Amino acid sequence: MNFAFTPEQEQFRQAVRAFFAEARVQDLLRQVQRAPAREEPHPEAIYRWLGERGWLAPAWPAAYGGLGKTPVENAILAEELLAAGVPDTVRVNTIDIVGSFLLLAGTPQQKERLLPAMARGELIACVLYTEPGAGSDMSSLSTRAERHGDGFKLYGKKIYSLKSFPAQYGLASVRTTPGSTAHSGISLFLVPLAAEGVTINPMLNMSDERFSEVVFDGVAVSPADAVGPLNQGWQLINAALSLERTGHDFYVKIRRWFNLVLEQARTTGNINDPLIAQQITRLRAEVEAGRLMAWRIIDQQTRHEYDAAASAMSKWYNSELASRITRLALDMEGLDGVLSRWDREAPLDGVLEAAHRETPGLTLAAGTSEIMLHIISTTMLQASH
Amino acid sequence: MDFRLNDRQQTLKQNVARFLATAYTPAIARQLEHPLGAGDQSVPEPALHAEIWNGLVQLGATRLTIPEHLGGYGWGQTEAIVVAEQMGRSLYQGPYFDTLTAAEILLAVDDLAEQQATIRRIARGEYRVSLALPRQHHLLDASPAVTALEDGWSVTGEQRFVACARQVQALLLLARIDDQPGLFLIPADQPQITIRRHDEIGRGELYAVSFNNVLLPRSSCISTGAALQAVYESTRARACIRHAAYLVGLCQGIFDITLNYTKKRVQFGRPIATFQTISHRLASFAARIDAARLLAQQSAWQADQHQDIRQNAYELLALAGELAREWTADALQMHGAYGLTEQAEAQRYYRRSAVDTLLYGSPGQLRAEAAALMAV
């Protein structure tokens, strides 16, 4: 048992933290914070500045724009980025999900073409798995790829995708074998979203990040756009999910919100209210336990060990804590707590009000709580047979 | 960073688990439980208790956190919680934890030659100690009062909920000297000390110890005042971490039993574990137990890094305590009425958790203590 970071890792954290404190970064963040409702400015400059240093994807090989470090440095970057208030969905999608997927299953040409641009903060990718009829049951998807000359044409509709607007590519799951059902006949394509036949429509939701509906109407893709072998998509998705699911992206959110609640409780003196103090001390332990669950997965990743049940536990535990934190914030503030950042009297610029609109999505995104419990319980039930 | 148990911790875990699997079986544990309503008429089984104690001594359990120059291994809390968790799985009841805590208290007070000899005896397993002190933080509520005599002290009063008082050679007594706390190490076997067993839900080893004008030599007082307060707080925080690990083990013990039971129990033509209403609850408790375990491990590690672990320790024990209560009740529900029967292990875990989640203060009290440390 050793829970310490190495001195080099601590130095990396300090350097990253100092970067986020720079005036040019803070200025951009203020602009993001002051954007009108429903606008989602992507602070691309911050991503590029990180990219210049190799910090956006520090775990990637230097040849692909990283620093050749470990998942530990990647997670440190993620923590400091969100703690500074930088929106992180683009980073999670591009680096942790699609980028990792390419590292795992991409061809050398795909890696050379895409990864360095991703690591520089210039190329954004989104995830296109969910369909109107395929949510938790991802294998029931009906988007299809029809043979067309050497390549394919895609037809179908993907929904509930985040940050598709600024993205150049979407990683889409589609059926490449006509008539196939369930887990067979699924392939993955990295679809250029500027291509003819792609329509992206906003699906506004209650949070600050809109969903998108991405419609494919005869989008031409080539075999070179396929990620991994054709018809092996289901196995690949599952392999990638177990690699990417740490729960850490959920942990960084709840840590930020909990720290704000704690800070606010100190400022207002609420912390001296025994009822509030009980809840704060309870959550403090739980958030720390959530941190450890996430970091255990990252620690395992450094040794290339994967434990699907432990990953699911981490995602479930961290995401379930989120709404308890924002409810406590509401209790502490009373009606002031419901003021949004577009009301000049909102406490903490409405960050926790926005969080309360975001939390219900966390127990749904990247595998619902029910799916996480399913993964944990099936692992347990199979283990001792 | 490395979350895994190291080789030493892994070996220790296996050795303790193997020992308890044979020496502390459910059948033996039941033999050691006192019958419901037997009150003070039921006495501990001396031969059985001695056998278990000797086995622990042979494993080196009494040497864990004692420094090498005093006959111990000089290991830390990261090792102690490995042992504690395994003991919790088996619902171990005995003088082990109090003896370990007593050794840590003796190590932290002034370095008298007399205490070094005592610590060496503890390391060798020859000396068992019960804590006759309030485990909750209000030191001065300690009831027995001490009067200074010309050549020593006289103690009168009662200390309740003392663990395993009939199996130990000595009591570490906290008493009031005027309005100051004082700590005394005294032989347990004295005519002026009377011991009455509490009849309680855990059917375990809790006693009310009465001191009726017990005369003590001057040397029996080993610490007083503010120095004692500091020693007590840091030692108690470490004891809280070990106790949390014990509760994690308790939760895991009944978890394994419940998982097995629900996989075998068939209703509506299927094992009930295959119903989501059961399997998802099992999964959620598996995650929460794991979370508590990780938190206990980090807290133990922080203690070994000499950090101030008080707030973390209180919050950890509150978390583990609440989890133990909630989970043991849910485990009973999953067992159905069978779980309530005397044959079922489930009700033993439920009853024990009632006691073990209060030993160092209720979860609410522990959180209040934690909150006091961050008040503005």
Side-chain angles (χ1 to χ4, degrees):
Chain A
M1 274 176 240
N2 176 8
F3 295 92
F5 292 103
T6 65
E8 292 75 24
Q9 288 162 350
E10 293 286 5
Q11 280 164 16
F12 179 67
R13 185 186 292 279
Q14 293 310 323
V16 170
R17 190 173 292 175
F19 163 76
F20 284 119
E22 286 178 18
R24 55 178 178 158
V25 175
Q26 292 297 314
D27 288 346
L28 266 179
L29 287 177
R30 266 189 294 276
Q31 284 175 33
V32 170
Q33 176 73 9
R34 285 180 193 148
R38 304 299 186 187
E39 279 190 17
E40 297 175 41
H42 168 57
E44 188 184 329
I46 298 178
Y47 276 61
R48 283 176 187 261
W49 293 329
L50 287 168
E52 284 168 10
R53 296 163 161 79
W55 287 358
L56 196 53
W60 290 3
Y64 297 140
L67 294 176
K69 295 198 180 276
T70 72
V72 171
E73 284 77 13
N74 190 56
I76 289 173
L77 183 275
E79 289 186 355
E80 296 302 322
L81 180 123
L82 203 85
V86 182
D88 73 335
T89 306
V90 167
R91 191 201 65 79
V92 172
N93 281 350
T94 306
I95 308 296
D96 289 349
I97 300 181
V98 179
S100 299
F101 210 119
L102 285 171
L103 272 177
L104 173 77
T107 63
Q109 292 82 353
Q110 285 172 330
K111 291 180 189 175
E112 280 163 30
R113 184 162 60 91
L114 300 166
L115 292 178
M118 287 175 164
R120 283 196 302 270
E122 293 166 5
L123 193 155
I124 298 173
C126 66
V127 181
L128 302 172
Y129 292 165
T130 303
E131 298 182 7
S136 287
D137 182 6
M138 279 204 303
S139 68
S140 65
L141 63 92
S142 60
T143 296
R144 64 189 197 281
E146 291 181 0
R147 280 274 174 196
H148 187 86
D150 288 343
F152 297 91
K153 285 201 165 181
L154 306 183
Y155 296 90
K157 187 195 280 185
K158 297 290 181 179
I159 56 171
Y160 305 147
S161 167
L162 292 174
K163 297 292 183 192
S164 310
F165 274 90
Q168 290 88 1
Y169 286 91
L171 182 65
S173 52
V174 303
R175 281 201 186 282
T176 30
T177 302
S180 66
T181 52
H183 305 152
S184 63
I186 295 174
S187 303
L188 291 156
F189 284 92
L190 205 53
V191 182
L193 297 179
E196 200 168 324
V198 177
T199 312
I200 302 178
N201 300 313
M203 304 171 81
L204 295 185
N205 64 47
M206 70 170 172
S207 85
D208 286 341
E209 288 187 337
R210 82 191 74 166
F211 294 134
S212 288
E213 173 191 78
V214 179
V215 181
F216 299 140
D217 185 14
V219 183
V221 291
S222 75
D225 295 319
V227 185
L230 288 179
N231 297 316
Q232 299 292 311
W234 181 254
Q235 291 81 345
L236 268 179
I237 288 177
N238 281 301
L241 277 179
S242 71
L243 296 185
E244 85 198 23
R245 184 175 287 136
T246 60
H248 188 261
D249 40 343
F250 295 85
Y251 158 71
V252 292
K253 288 177 191 288
I254 64 167
R255 168 62 73 186
R256 174 167 185 243
W257 296 332
F258 175 76
N259 284 354
L260 288 172
V261 167
L262 182 58
E263 183 190 311
Q264 188 73 347
R266 287 183 193 280
T267 309
T268 59
N270 264 323
I271 198 148
N272 300 318
D273 174 341
L275 292 178
I276 298 289
Q278 286 279 319
Q279 296 188 66
I280 284 181
T281 49
R282 173 185 282 124
L283 280 168
R284 183 175 176 272
E286 289 172 314
V287 170
E288 186 61 16
R291 186 183 82 83
L292 293 169
M293 294 192 104
W295 275 98
R296 174 176 53 188
I297 308 300
I298 293 159
D299 179 45
Q300 289 172 345
Q301 284 181 341
T302 63
R303 294 186 298 272
H304 307 286
E305 298 167 5
Y306 302 99
D307 180 341
S311 296
M313 283 182 185
S314 175
K315 197 273 163 176
W316 175 80
Y317 193 89
N318 280 295
S319 63
E320 288 286 334
L321 280 174
S323 70
R324 290 182 37 216
I325 295 168
T326 58
R327 275 182 277 157
L328 172 58
L330 291 172
D331 283 355
M332 274 171 38
E333 298 291 343
L335 281 172
D336 284 318
V338 305
L339 298 177
S340 80
R341 67 168 171 272
W342 298 284
D343 186 296
R344 61 191 165 82
E345 291 176 341
L348 296 172
D349 287 331
V351 172
L352 292 170
E353 182 275 338
H356 196 60
R357 288 183 282 117
E358 185 178 348
T359 54
L362 300 185
T363 47
L364 298 171
T368 64
S369 285
E370 288 73 17
I371 293 293
M372 295 305 107
L373 295 175
H374 174 75
I375 292 170
I376 301 163
S377 60
T378 47
T379 309
M380 285 183 326
L381 292 176
Q382 284 161 2
S384 30
H385 276 319
Chain B
M1 177 184 302
D2 188 342
F3 278 53
R4 297 171 297 180
L5 301 190
N6 62 26
D7 289 346
R8 173 206 285 169
Q9 290 153 356
Q10 198 63 44
T11 306
L12 186 62
K13 175 182 167 181
Q14 283 162 1
N15 288 345
V16 175
R18 198 178 304 130
F19 168 70
L20 291 171
T22 53
Y24 212 88
T25 61
I28 291 169
R30 281 157 182 273
Q31 233 179 309
L32 295 176
E33 271 193 0
H34 298 277
L36 180 65
D40 195 36
Q41 301 306 305
S42 180
V43 291
E45 302 247 358
L48 210 42
H49 275 295
E51 205 181 308
I52 293 157
W53 180 261
N54 291 336
L56 290 174
V57 173
Q58 276 168 23
L59 283 175
T62 52
R63 299 180 190 270
L64 286 192
T65 57
I66 293 173
E68 285 177 89
H69 73 274
L70 294 174
Y73 296 150
W75 296 349
Q77 300 306 320
T78 41
E79 281 77 27
I81 58 158
V82 167
V83 175
E85 184 182 338
Q86 294 308 313
M87 288 180 161
R89 282 180 94 109
S90 312
L91 296 181
Y92 164 83
Q93 290 288 296
Y96 177 68
F97 290 109
D98 270 13
T99 302
L100 199 68
T101 304
E104 291 192 359
I105 292 177
L106 294 177
L107 279 164
V109 298
D110 301 334
D111 214 10
L112 297 176
E114 174 108 5
Q115 278 140 37
Q116 291 201 5
T118 307
I119 293 164
R120 283 177 193 282
R121 289 182 67 198
I122 290 176
R124 289 196 298 270
E126 298 165 5
Y127 202 64
R128 294 177 296 277
V129 185
S130 285
L131 303 178
L133 47 79
R135 286 165 210 265
Q136 296 158 25
H137 76 297
H138 303 292
L139 262 188
L140 278 180
D141 292 352
S143 39
V146 172
T147 317
L149 306 175
E150 206 145 299
D151 54 349
W153 314 87
S154 161
V155 185
T156 296
E158 187 185 46
Q159 197 63 262
R160 298 164 68 223
F161 301 107
V162 177
C164 304
R166 289 215 168 107
Q167 301 173 47
V168 296
Q169 284 92 341
L171 300 168
L172 198 57
L173 166 71
L174 195 97
R176 275 179 292 126
I177 309 169
D178 300 323
D179 56 356
Q180 288 290 311
L183 193 67
F184 298 82
L185 186 65
I186 62 178
D189 188 16
Q190 304 190 44
Q192 294 83 6
I193 295 179
T194 53
I195 297 176
R196 179 181 71 83
R197 198 189 136 251
H198 293 296
D199 201 273
E200 39 84 22
I201 187 169
R203 306 182 195 168
E205 299 286 324
L206 288 177
Y207 297 86
V209 179
S210 294
F211 305 87
N212 313 302
N213 194 20
V214 181
L215 299 178
L216 303 172
R218 200 145 267 290
S219 64
S220 67
C221 179
I222 57 178
S223 183
T224 56
L228 171 57
Q229 183 80 36
V231 166
Y232 175 78
E233 275 194 28
S234 60
T235 312
R236 174 170 169 270
R238 290 197 295 273
C240 283
I241 294 170
R242 293 192 290 271
H243 195 58
Y246 179 93
L247 287 171
V248 168
L250 182 152
C251 288
Q252 189 66 52
I254 183 59
F255 186 89
D256 294 346
I257 290 167
T258 308
L259 180 61
N260 270 325
Y261 180 79
T262 55
K263 278 160 68 173
K264 287 192 194 115
R265 171 71 173 168
V266 173
Q267 289 287 276
F268 304 103
R270 298 159 53 174
I272 61 172
T274 64
F275 290 106
Q276 286 188 339
T277 187
I278 301 288
S279 67
H280 284 195
R281 269 152 71 205
L282 282 170
S284 67
F285 280 110
R288 290 172 62 188
I289 294 166
D290 213 36
R293 177 183 295 114
L294 287 170
L295 201 59
Q297 290 177 343
Q298 179 174 258
S299 302
W301 177 83
Q302 287 166 334
D304 291 343
Q305 306 297 305
H306 308 291
Q307 298 178 18
D308 181 354
I309 37 107
R310 289 173 301 160
Q311 187 184 350
N312 288 353
Y314 305 152
E315 289 175 0
L316 161 70
L317 183 52
L319 178 112
E322 264 180 359
L323 176 63
R325 283 178 178 174
E326 191 184 333
W327 164 230
T328 54
D330 229 43
L332 275 183
Q333 180 71 18
M334 291 183 190
H335 274 79
Y338 164 71
L340 312 178
T341 65
E342 286 289 329
Q343 301 97 284
E345 284 294 284
Q347 49 89 19
R348 292 186 57 230
Y349 284 81
Y350 175 80
R351 289 189 288 103
R352 285 253 38 111
S353 73
V355 179
D356 283 311
T357 55
L358 294 174
L359 216 50
Y360 289 87
S362 70
Q365 287 169 331
L366 288 161
R367 292 206 173 103
E369 281 187 72
L373 291 170
M374 52 175 197
V376 287

